[in-house]
Amino acid sequence: MKVLIYDLETGPLLGHFWRITQGYINPEGIVHDSFLMSWSAKWRGSGKVYSQVLTPEEAIAQDDARIVEGIAELVREADYVVAHNIERFDYKQLNGRVSQLGLENLGPVQMIDTKKLAFRDLGVASTSLDYLADFFGIGRKRPMTYDDWLRAYRGDPKALRKMDQYCRHDTRLLAEVFERMLPYVRGVPRLVAGDGSFACVYCGSRDLIKRGFKHTAAGTYQQWQCKKCTRYSREPTAIESMKPGLRPN
């Protein structure tokens, strides 16, 4: 399967409001909506990280059409897309920009949200990417201050380069966090294309051992554990009529 891991950085909304405690800003007070400033992505299993960031001229004009199309092309190509908080932020932000710019739609995006998985299954004190990366001993996010963000928003070349590096580092962290989480979370779909072979559906390894049975309303299935990634799979048919190949547990 083609699994795309990606991260977005966006510019803030610009608007007018009277007091910081009002809790609601009238849409008529919005001067400019949020826009994409940078993105980075990598394919699962590859070390290469792709990225785009606005030029100073594009940042000043708040013209993100070039880089929106860049990441949209990769998302359309993917079987699954992985991002941290993708369901509540990354997908909506990208889809909104694609729709406003009148670009080709993203198609049927199948999402894996690492923030949601961590919240549901890991019971960690925080589900932020920075905390999870530190929790797993992978590293920490790079610093990017509010002042850095504003300077990038205003087209400062140095700040835009810093944002690009910040975003690329986040994608590398996310890729490692995802792999570390994978054996311990539920509901992850098949990540290796089925070809009828007897192999792990998450990493493709053939080094498997029997681990009891999976009992469902439909029947009893032989369960297997991958010795490489440690995840469990089960045979696609009940033990009365077993066939080659595995499916997610």
Side-chain angles (χ1 to χ4, degrees), residues 61-88:
Q62 301 187 0
D63 177 11
D64 60 0
R66 175 181 62 87
I67 68 171
V68 168
E69 179 57 30
I71 183 60
E73 285 183 3
L74 294 180
V75 170
R76 295 185 197 108
E77 188 180 343
D79 295 309
Y80 290 97
V81 290
V82 178
H84 202 64
N85 204 26
I86 186 173
E87 292 185 6
R88 299 184 64 182

Side-chain angles (χ1 to χ4, degrees), residues 11-166:
L13 281 80
L14 179 65
H16 300 295
F17 57 98
W18 274 263
R19 56 183 65 87
I20 62 174
T21 58
Q22 69 187 59
Y24 173 79
I25 297 176
N26 192 313
E28 293 179 358
I30 298 175
V31 177
H32 200 287
D33 207 337
S34 181
F35 59 99
L36 195 61
M37 297 185 68
S38 175
W39 64 262
S40 65
K42 69 184 295 294
W43 295 105
R44 184 180 184 229
S46 170
K48 185 173 182 179
V49 177
Y50 303 87
S51 70
Q52 285 183 314
V53 64
L54 296 181
T55 65
E57 295 75 20
E58 288 171 334
I60 292 169
Q62 301 187 0
D63 177 11
D64 60 0
R66 175 181 62 87
I67 68 171
V68 168
E69 179 57 30
I71 183 60
E73 285 183 3
L74 294 180
V75 170
R76 295 185 197 108
E77 188 180 343
D79 295 309
Y80 290 97
V81 290
V82 178
H84 202 64
N85 204 26
I86 186 173
E87 292 185 6
R88 299 184 64 182
F89 182 79
D90 295 77
Y91 172 74
K92 293 179 180 180
Q93 289 291 314
L94 179 58
N95 198 41
R97 298 306 302 137
V98 166
S99 65
Q100 186 176 32
L101 293 166
L103 303 176
E104 177 188 345
N105 69 70
L106 297 174
V109 178
Q110 299 189 82
M111 297 175 279
I112 301 174
D113 191 330
T114 49
K115 185 179 181 72
K116 182 177 179 179
L117 293 175
F119 177 79
R120 188 190 66 193
D121 291 338
L122 298 184
V124 288
S126 170
T127 57
S128 71
L129 179 59
D130 186 50
Y131 184 89
L132 289 170
D134 186 55
F135 177 80
F136 287 120
I138 295 168
R140 301 298 296 259
K141 289 167 65 78
R142 290 188 174 183
M144 186 78 183
T145 67
Y146 181 66
D147 183 61
D148 291 329
W149 225 275
L150 286 182
R151 288 190 296 107
Y153 177 83
R154 294 165 181 156
D156 180 89
K158 185 175 179 180
L160 287 166
R161 287 193 298 270
K162 184 174 182 178
M163 176 174 283
D164 180 52
Q165 293 302 313
Y166 171 85

